Amino acid sequence: MPELSHGRRMLVLAICCMSLLIVSLDNTVLNVALPSLQRELDASTSGLQWTIDAYTLVLASLLMLAGSTADRIGRRRVFMAGLVVFTLGSLLCSLAPDLNWLVVFRMVQAVGGSMLNPVAMSIITNTFTDPRERARAIGVWGAVVGLSMAAGPLVGGLLVDSVGWRSIFWVNLPVGLAALLLTWRFVPESRAPRARRPDPVGQVLVIALFGSLTYAIIEAPHGTWRSTAPFAALALIALLALLRYEPRRPEPLIDLRFFRSAPFSGATVIAVSAFAALGGFLFLSTLYLQNVRGLSALEAGLWMLPMAVPTFLCAPLSGRLVGSRGPRLPLLFAGGAMTVSGLLFALFEAETSNATLVVGYVLFGVGFGLVNAPITNTAVSGMPTDQAGVASAVASTSRQLGQTLGVAVLGAVLAAGVGASSYADTFVTAARPGWWILAACGAVVLVLGALTTGPWARGTAERAAARLRTEERPRAGVGA
């Protein structure tokens, strides 16, 4: 990639942040629209789960494939293709005649989304070659995620109340088209010096694992053992096949050798736990505020500001803490805050009091705002520099998988508890096991944050990195 002027680099960063904004905003906006979708499309709880999970599931399955494809055929080309597909998918979502078509079009959106965020991060990394300038650029990138969390409930509530749920997808159209034209005009093409080879078998196994596991969880409360057991079995078979097949590949889709590093393994599980808590928290809160308290979409968005604003404020603070003190402190604070938030709902029924509801939302917002920055830092800790991108991609996949599982598991728990009753009569009792699960997710962040950031964990990362370097040399010689 040619050296760009400072102004041009800032423009490239702004274009990449536009893609992140529409992808991140899309999920937070959609959560506020769920009750409206439920009424207009006569959707069940599992139907609402699929409108979210169809997107995050496809995104999680294709992130690593999109990143390696962009390295091979050109990042700008794949990024532009992603903008086209995501914008087209958004248009189709706004025209969906029923819930089934909406789920299908959400999957189209996700195919485009998988080509945006990981590729945009690669473009930023290659545009900002100075380490200090790159760190500031990644800080801006992280702040955009916080902005989407803060703005999403308000934007979604305003659009749903004034125009209707279909309008939440219209927001993506002008932003997507503008980003496409700006990318074509100002973003230079770049490729990796040596791109990773495709792994189609690994990709199919990942899709089979994620898809069948999510289906089995979501449909368990509504189907019979005979209808869901085959999907659970398929998930297990796909997992075992991945564990057997991937180590035999010279360039696997998922390099299992990374898991010899305690910080990497810890960051992967922390990402799944934290984002499972986020997905479940937004799902339960939105349904409670609108279906139980009877608030409008905009009022529900305003009620979620005590969660969204601390997330926005704590995200950059976490980045500075990681830079100055390392990842342990923000992970411990994050795990503690998320655990206490979950316990507040599980033990004291925080929903039933305005004061405790606000406190629960603030605690969760603080916890989630602190957890995101140290995940990537911990994942790449001690890794060889040429493997850091792949390690970061696994962490990103773990985030999406966690959000998928959070909505699937907590939605299934809620559906089983509510049964044929109305939300208003049974929601608080039915949601209590879900809040216990959320508290457990926070406890996992807390415990692993302590265990995988100390001297012993750093030692495992150094040994894993040394083995990776040693084992890569013979492979490079064979392929030469």
Side-chain angles (χ1 to χ4, degrees):
M1 179 181 286
E3 184 67 26
L4 304 178
S5 66
H6 176 75
R8 182 79 172 270
R9 292 196 298 274
M10 291 297 106
L11 181 58
V12 170
L13 175 61
I15 294 168
C16 290
C17 287
M18 287 171 70
S19 75
L20 176 64
L21 182 63
I22 57 176
V23 171
S24 301
L25 198 64
D26 194 74
N27 264 338
T28 53
V29 167
L30 181 61
N31 268 282
V32 178
L34 288 179
S36 179
L37 272 169
Q38 189 175 35
R39 291 189 296 271
E40 187 169 327
L41 300 181
D42 193 26
S44 62
T45 300
S46 66
L48 297 180
Q49 289 169 271
W50 278 118
T51 61
I52 297 174
D53 275 358
Y55 180 86
T56 54
L57 181 61
V58 173
L59 202 64
S61 300
L62 299 181
L63 276 173
M64 287 182 286
L65 173 64
S68 61
T69 302
D71 287 342
R72 188 165 52 254
I73 70 173
R75 298 182 180 107
R76 175 175 174 265
R77 180 180 300 175
V78 172
F79 187 68
M80 290 178 67
L83 286 168
V84 170
V85 175
F86 186 86
T87 305
L88 176 62
S90 299
L91 176 61
L92 292 173
C93 286
S94 72
L95 301 173
D98 56 41
L99 186 71
N100 292 332
W101 279 110
L102 178 60
V103 169
V104 171
F105 295 149
R106 287 280 289 164
M107 295 172 75
V108 174
Q109 257 193 318
V111 172
S114 71
M115 294 185 253
L116 294 180
N117 288 1
V119 180
M121 180 55 74
S122 295
I123 292 173
I124 291 172
T125 302
N126 284 271
T127 299
F128 294 87
T129 53
D130 177 71
R132 187 171 298 178
E133 195 176 37
R134 180 186 296 167
R136 286 196 293 266
I138 293 175
V140 173
W141 173 266
V144 172
V145 176
L147 177 63
S148 71
M149 288 290 298
L154 281 179
V155 172
L158 185 62
L159 288 173
V160 170
D161 278 355
S162 60
V163 184
W165 67 264
R166 297 179 188 275
S167 63
I168 65 175
F169 298 106
W170 297 344
V171 176
N172 300 331
L173 305 185
V175 180
L177 289 173
L180 179 64
L181 293 173
L182 290 169
T183 303
W184 174 75
R185 177 66 180 84
F186 294 108
V187 177
E189 185 60 280
S190 64
R191 294 178 177 83
R194 189 180 73 87
R196 296 171 66 83
R197 286 179 286 181
D199 181 9
V201 174
Q203 184 62 60
V204 170
L205 289 173
V206 166
I207 293 172
L209 170 60
F210 291 175
S212 55
L213 178 62
T214 304
Y215 183 90
I217 294 171
I218 289 178
E219 298 301 329
H222 314 284
T224 63
W225 179 85
R226 289 184 178 180
S227 65
T228 55
F231 290 93
L234 178 59
L236 179 60
I237 293 169
L239 175 61
L240 295 175
L242 267 174
L243 295 176
R244 182 171 178 80
Y245 175 77
E246 290 295 281
R248 300 169 183 266
R249 290 271 307 172
E251 292 182 334
L253 182 72
I254 302 175
D255 198 330
L256 299 180
R257 297 174 297 169
F258 289 173
F259 290 94
R260 297 168 183 165
S261 163
F264 178 85
S265 299
T268 302
V269 179
I270 287 170
V272 171
S273 299
F275 278 77
L278 173 68
F281 188 94
L282 292 176
F283 190 81
L284 292 180
S285 295
T286 300
L287 293 178
Y288 169 76
L289 290 171
Q290 295 186 55
N291 287 354
V292 179
R293 286 207 168 192
L295 303 179
S296 68
L298 179 57
E299 290 170 333
L302 290 169
W303 262 100
M304 293 179 73
L305 280 179
M307 182 273 292
V309 172
T311 298
F312 175 63
L313 296 176
C314 289
L317 172 63
S318 178
R320 286 194 291 272
L321 279 173
V322 170
S324 61
R325 304 284 297 275
R328 169 172 282 197
L329 196 60
L331 284 176
L332 294 181
F333 278 123
M338 293 169 73
T339 302
V340 174
S341 174
L343 291 176
L344 197 61
F345 285 95
L347 291 175
F348 302 104
E349 296 184 353
E351 305 101 315
T352 57
S353 163
N354 288 345
T356 52
L357 184 65
V358 170
V359 172
Y361 281 3
V362 169
L363 285 171
F364 188 86
V366 169
F368 187 76
L370 291 171
V371 80
N372 207 15
I375 288 174
T376 300
N377 178 275
T378 308
V380 302
S381 174
M383 288 289 174
T385 54
D386 60 341
Q387 300 282 358
V390 182
S392 179
V394 175
S396 297
T397 301
S398 301
R399 290 181 176 96
Q400 298 301 328
L401 177 61
Q403 195 162 350
T404 302
L405 293 177
V407 174
V409 172
L410 270 72
V413 167
L414 179 66
V418 171
S421 306
S422 68
Y423 277 111
D425 296 334
T426 59
F427 184 94
V428 173
T429 302
R432 189 174 296 125
W435 294 117
W436 277 111
I437 293 171
L438 192 148
C441 288
V444 169
V445 174
L446 178 65
V447 172
L448 289 183
L451 292 177
T452 62
T453 55
W456 166 80
R458 287 193 294 271
T460 67
E462 291 166 3
R463 290 191 293 274
R467 291 186 65 176
L468 279 169
R469 293 188 192 97
T470 302
E471 292 171 12
E472 283 300 321
R473 289 192 194 104
R475 291 184 179 187
V478 171

